[in-house]
Amino acid sequence: MTRLSYIGTDMFTQYMREEVDAMDEETFALYLRYHFTICERPDLVGVSHHSLDILQKNV
């Protein structure tokens, strides 16, 4: 198998769940932009409670 991507799916959201739930649409859009910027950083994936490992089967 070849790893295509390793992603932290919730990152800091679990640590600030109430604040994220209370965000208006504009603030949430900014937060998502931030999240998608950091979710594949190898030095930050470990802070996530959940991760997604995308693999490709080698034939």
Side-chain angles (χ1 to χ4, degrees), residues 21-58:
D21 286 342
M23 289 179 183
D24 59 33
E25 292 294 321
E26 183 180 351
T27 305
F28 184 66
L30 287 171
Y31 180 73
L32 280 180
R33 206 167 136 208
Y34 166 74
H35 170 80
F36 292 132
T37 301
I38 66 166
C39 70
E40 292 186 70
R41 283 186 46 174
D43 60 328
L44 292 176
V45 170
V47 303
S48 188
H49 285 121
H50 300 93
S51 59
L52 176 63
D53 204 352
I54 301 172
L55 305 167
Q56 181 177 25
K57 181 179 176 182
N58 295 335

Side-chain angles (χ1 to χ4, degrees), residues 12-29:
F12 296 110
T13 306
Q14 290 295 334
Y15 300 103
M16 51 187 271
R17 183 179 320 168
E18 293 173 8
E19 290 80 0
V20 172
D21 286 342
M23 289 179 183
D24 59 33
E25 292 294 321
E26 183 180 351
T27 305
F28 184 66

